[in-house]
Amino acid sequence: MFTPASRYHGVEVARYQPPDDGDPIPYVRRRLLPAPATLTPIGFRTVAESDRLDRIAAAAFGDPELFWRIADANPVLDPAELTDRPGRRLLIALSAEAAGSTHGF
């Protein structure tokens, strides 16, 4: 259902059956963050004044939609926190699945 580049790739799609016997409603199960030890570090990036997470992902991975990989490697409650302070050092890392593939690299 989701492409290999999606953060939801491999996450189970379940169905909720409403009690009124209506049509089942599909939903994606909760996606848990990967354990830090399963990530493959590939570098660091120091946040500049006007940086955005999508632009950092485009520079690091060649695809702005892979911003979630940076968020996974630098866990915060709000991804906007990752670029709100110039000088912050961000870990750039690949998931275990991405490290073993050539998708997007």
Side-chain angles (χ1 to χ4, degrees):
M1 178 172 202
F2 297 100
T3 69
S6 170
R7 76 180 99 182
Y8 299 109
H9 180 73
V11 177
E12 180 186 359
V13 176
R15 295 190 179 280
Y16 169 73
Q17 181 63 53
D20 63 0
D21 290 329
D23 291 336
I25 301 167
Y27 66 95
V28 178
R29 293 222 183 251
R30 183 183 320 205
R31 175 186 174 268
L32 300 176
L33 290 177
T38 66
L39 302 176
T40 302
I42 59 170
F44 291 91
R45 167 75 180 252
T46 301
V47 175
E49 183 69 35
S50 61
D51 270 344
R52 293 188 348 209
L53 207 49
D54 60 332
R55 290 181 180 167
I56 295 170
F61 304 121
D63 184 346
E65 292 185 7
L66 295 178
F67 69 92
W68 59 269
R69 288 184 178 168
I70 299 168
D72 281 0
N74 300 274
V76 294
L77 291 178
D78 179 0
E81 293 177 43
L82 295 173
T83 56
D84 69 355
R85 190 182 78 232
R88 181 183 183 126
R89 191 171 184 223
L90 298 177
L91 172 63
I92 307 298
L94 302 177
S95 65
E97 297 82 16
S101 75
T102 57
H103 291 287
F105 301 100

